[in-house]
Amino acid sequence: MSTLRRRRIVNVIAFSMSMVATAIGLALLCAILWTLLSRGFGALSFSVFTQMTPGPGSAGGLLNAIYGSLVMTALGILIGAPIGLLAGTYLAEYGRNSPLSTVVRFINDVQLSAPSIIVGLFVYMLMVMRMGHFSAIAGAVALGIIAMPVMVRTTEDMLNLVPKSMRDGSAALGAQPWYTITRIVYPAAKNGLVTGVLLAVARISGETAPLLFTALNNQFWNSNLNKPMANLPMVIFQFAMSPYGDWQRLAWVGALLITLFVLFLSIIARSISSLFGQHGNPGE
Amino acid sequence: MVLSARLRREARAESVFRVATLTSALLVLALLAGVLLTLIHGSWPALKTFKWSFVTGERWNPVADIYGALTPLYGTVATSIIALLIAVPISFGIAVFLTEICPRWLRGPISTGIELLASVPSIVYGIWGLFVLAPILQHSVQPWLIVHLGPLPVVGRLFQGPPYGIGLLTAGLVLAIMILPFITSVMREVFRMAPLSLKEAAYGLGATQWNVVWDVVLPWSRTGVIGGIMLGLGRALGETMAVTFVIGNAHRISASLLAPSTTISAAVANEFAEAVGDLYTSALFALGLLLFVLTFAVIAGARLLMMRLERGTVQRA
């Protein structure tokens, strides 16, 4: 009787603690979002979008950094997404069960969680040292390398959800595999592929470490891809670590903008994939 | 004639597409090889000069051009261990809540909330850690730790010295928040895969719900749980920006967890752009190589465990 009582008490305590753990997790998310909203919105003004990053002690905005981030993220996706799409296609279609695919899949999964600062070092030696200077294009390549594994993984997962009977039907009508893949399988997996691109954009738009030694930063307006370019993550890093109040306020605004953008993308990606999921996608 | 020309064109398109996909897949491998070769090439001068003392040496002195990676290595490992000690129990709690007691309609919103923690950029964790978390730790948590845990034998040494607010403990805390969603999501997945028949058998023997979780579900899914924890560890070891904000960037090893220190990634992030001299740059590349080897081993281990798990469930199913 007393062991039963003890087990019941343990049961109640354990599950109460699991509720506390969940509350802690959600409270942390709220705390971070609350800080961002209160500090970021407090300093948000129209001039953030119309003026350049200021020198210490003067007013200004984030226009050049926002522009730079958009340009480099877009270029990074243009580099990383097509290669990722093709590699994912190989894994899901041509080489589904080949030993090569197993190795590629494994290495790609490792790269998904590999430290991004190492990509920065790699691109530094590959491009920055050869060219002799930091440049926006080097930053875009670094971001592309980070976007690629995300795209490979989602492409493979999404193509695997397309029923084999559709491929068989296409082949029975005499279509070559490339025709089947590009005209039948890709359209069928369209939503999933879009999700992959969105996730890749979300992944790279907040990345800072790979830009430290590639795009660097630039206090002024620059649209030359061959020169250092301002970007939000680097500006946040530099301004937040500075002793100047104006700079720190701008850093909070930048952090708010990036976070809202990334969370917005993740939520859109999620809702697309859950819509897609109604047609037989098990899990996420 | 027309038909055969068309067939030839089709066949050509087929081989072009096939080669393009194959090349892209090979590029994934080439990229990893390229990163490894670049890091080895870049760190060669430093490794040749210092040999093993690069890993075992404690001095990091750019003025005298002497570099030993022991301090950042210690910082990386210490912050990651702190992060795991905090994140694993919380993740376990959340995963248990989500799979066992959470009402169905709440499951979606709560898991989305936890997973959104994973998409917050690391620089935001950094700025939050520096301006919000560090002051709280400095003014309330750390003084309490110093007074209550500081005098204890052995353990006390970890909690002595002035409360800086930034340092190993703060970095470990921020890392814990960052890896929590990853560990939670793996644990939730593997808990959900536990066979119903096993659980029902345990209930039939009179087990409480907690007995089922602890004595049936957890042992059944331990491979996946360990894989998830290692995946979190891999993230923690390599995380850069968040740590750079709150670690304090001091090249010295202190017994106290409250003291500023540095990690491999923070040292590279902070010093690389200003490194003058080939040996200094090379030493930073060598730090990168060290980090690469460390994280690759951990993440690869995690992925292997999870691959074994997937194969296992396919066979069982």
Side-chain angles (χ1 to χ4, degrees):
Chain A
M1 196 57 199
S2 80
T3 43
L4 179 61
R5 207 182 142 78
R6 209 190 66 225
R7 286 198 294 142
R8 282 205 174 135
I9 293 173
V10 169
N11 193 50
V12 170
I13 294 174
F15 283 108
S16 315
M17 281 170 68
S18 91
M19 277 187 237
V20 171
T22 311
I24 292 175
L26 294 175
L28 286 168
L29 179 73
C30 295
I32 291 168
L33 291 182
W34 169 248
T35 313
L36 274 175
L37 289 174
S38 60
R39 300 214 185 181
F41 266 119
L44 190 64
S45 66
F46 193 59
S47 61
V48 167
F49 302 100
T50 56
Q51 290 179 20
M52 304 299 152
T53 46
S58 54
L62 294 168
L63 178 62
N64 49 341
I66 294 172
Y67 170 81
S69 273
L70 288 176
V71 167
M72 281 190 278
T73 304
L75 275 177
I77 286 295
L78 282 180
I79 296 166
I83 302 175
L85 177 74
L86 288 173
T89 305
Y90 180 82
L91 295 181
E93 304 289 335
Y94 287 112
R96 193 170 270 206
N97 295 315
S98 71
L100 174 67
S101 292
T102 312
V103 176
V104 171
R105 206 171 282 136
F106 177 71
I107 294 296
N108 190 68
D109 278 353
V110 171
Q111 282 175 2
L112 263 181
S113 4
S116 56
I117 190 160
I118 285 175
V119 174
L121 286 175
F122 171 62
V123 176
Y124 174 84
M125 188 160 261
L126 195 72
M127 297 180 70
V128 178
M129 260 169 90
R130 295 236 173 102
M131 294 157 70
H133 53 81
F134 298 101
S135 67
I137 190 74
V141 169
L143 292 180
I145 292 176
I146 291 167
M148 203 177 84
V150 182
M151 196 61 198
V152 174
R153 183 61 195 266
T154 35
T155 303
E156 191 198 354
D157 287 350
M158 295 304 160
L159 296 189
N160 277 338
L161 293 176
V162 177
K164 188 167 179 299
S165 55
M166 287 176 79
R167 297 182 180 89
D168 292 345
S170 174
L173 292 173
Q176 299 263 20
W178 75 272
Y179 194 89
T180 304
I181 293 166
T182 53
R183 301 296 161 84
I184 308 291
V185 179
Y186 282 169
K190 191 180 70 205
N191 289 335
L193 298 178
V194 171
T195 308
V197 174
L198 292 180
L199 288 177
V201 174
R203 172 74 207 271
I204 64 174
S205 46
E207 279 289 351
T208 318
L211 297 176
L212 284 169
F213 338 121
T214 52
L216 204 65
N217 198 355
N218 193 333
Q219 206 195 317
F220 307 102
W221 176 265
N222 167 40
S223 53
N224 183 348
L225 291 180
N226 206 17
K227 292 235 177 78
M229 192 182 265
N231 54 85
L232 278 176
M234 283 293 286
V235 169
I236 297 171
F237 181 44
Q238 187 193 345
F239 282 16
M241 295 295 245
S242 78
Y244 311 112
D246 289 333
W247 276 17
Q248 289 180 359
R249 273 189 289 281
L250 275 176
W252 280 108
V253 176
L256 174 71
L257 292 179
I258 288 197
T259 311
L260 288 182
F261 182 66
V262 171
L263 290 187
F264 177 70
L265 282 181
S266 322
I267 290 171
I268 296 275
R270 225 160 236 291
S271 43
I272 292 181
S273 74
S274 70
L275 281 177
F276 188 56
Q278 287 166 358
H279 307 287
N281 172 2
E284 281 144 25
Chain B
M1 275 315 271
V2 179
L3 187 65
S4 82
R6 162 118 202 234
L7 279 178
R8 260 206 310 279
R9 211 169 53 234
E10 287 271 319
R12 204 161 48 231
E14 173 62 29
S15 61
V16 167
F17 189 70
R18 196 192 167 95
V19 168
T21 60
L22 178 63
T23 315
S24 303
L26 289 173
L27 199 65
V28 174
L29 300 184
L31 206 59
L32 188 85
V35 169
L36 185 61
L37 290 177
T38 308
L39 288 176
I40 292 176
H41 175 72
S43 53
W44 195 247
L47 292 181
K48 215 172 61 187
T49 313
F50 302 111
K51 309 236 163 46
W52 281 107
S53 74
F54 180 77
V55 184
T56 55
E58 208 185 312
R59 279 183 73 192
W60 183 272
N61 189 340
V63 180
D65 243 4
I66 294 174
Y67 305 99
L70 197 62
T71 311
L73 190 61
Y74 168 75
T76 297
V77 173
T79 49
S80 302
I81 290 175
I82 297 173
L84 282 186
L85 287 178
I86 299 167
V88 169
I90 297 183
S91 303
F92 176 70
I94 299 176
V96 168
F97 178 81
L98 285 172
T99 49
E100 293 292 330
I101 44 180
C102 184
R104 194 166 276 277
W105 59 272
L106 249 179
R107 228 173 260 177
I110 290 184
S111 32
T112 307
I114 298 294
E115 276 164 38
L116 283 184
L117 274 177
S119 44
V120 173
S122 70
I123 186 140
V124 174
Y125 280 105
I127 184 171
W128 182 78
L130 181 65
F131 287 106
V132 179
L133 189 62
I136 296 177
L137 289 177
Q138 186 174 18
H139 297 303
S140 25
V141 178
Q142 291 185 348
W144 188 89
L145 289 175
I146 292 166
V147 171
H148 292 89
L149 298 181
L152 295 178
V154 192
V155 199
R157 298 194 54 195
L158 297 174
F159 303 101
Q160 285 168 358
Y164 290 97
I166 52 177
L168 291 171
L169 183 67
T170 315
L173 267 171
V174 172
L175 284 177
I177 305 174
M178 298 181 71
I179 62 174
L180 191 148
F182 294 99
I183 304 180
T184 305
S185 119
V186 175
M187 282 189 180
R188 201 191 57 196
E189 287 304 309
V190 291
F191 287 173
R192 208 155 48 187
M193 285 184 331
L196 199 60
S197 52
L198 271 184
K199 292 167 76 174
E200 280 170 350
Y203 283 124
L205 292 173
T208 61
Q209 201 173 6
W210 174 251
N211 291 147
V212 172
V213 170
W214 190 254
D215 298 320
V216 177
V217 176
L218 190 60
W220 187 87
S221 50
R222 72 175 172 275
T223 315
V225 168
I226 294 171
I229 293 173
M230 284 174 72
L231 204 62
L233 176 63
R235 292 251 170 200
L237 291 170
E239 174 49 43
T240 307
M241 295 322 291
V243 173
T244 306
F245 271 93
V246 294
I247 190 74
N249 304 307
H251 270 283
R252 68 170 179 267
I253 298 184
S254 325
S256 174
L257 297 180
L258 312 181
S261 182
T262 191
T263 67
I264 298 179
S265 50
V268 176
N270 263 309
E271 299 174 34
F272 193 83
E274 335 175 328
V276 277
D278 292 342
L279 201 57
Y280 195 2
T281 309
S282 172
L284 291 167
F285 265 102
L287 279 184
L289 181 64
L290 197 60
L291 182 66
F292 180 86
V293 172
L294 207 62
T295 49
F296 188 89
V298 171
I299 300 172
R303 292 291 176 188
L304 279 175
L305 278 181
M306 275 145 76
M307 263 165 75
R308 212 173 71 187
L309 190 76
E310 267 163 40
R311 251 201 321 269
T313 44
V314 170
Q315 276 163 7
R316 263 194 296 261

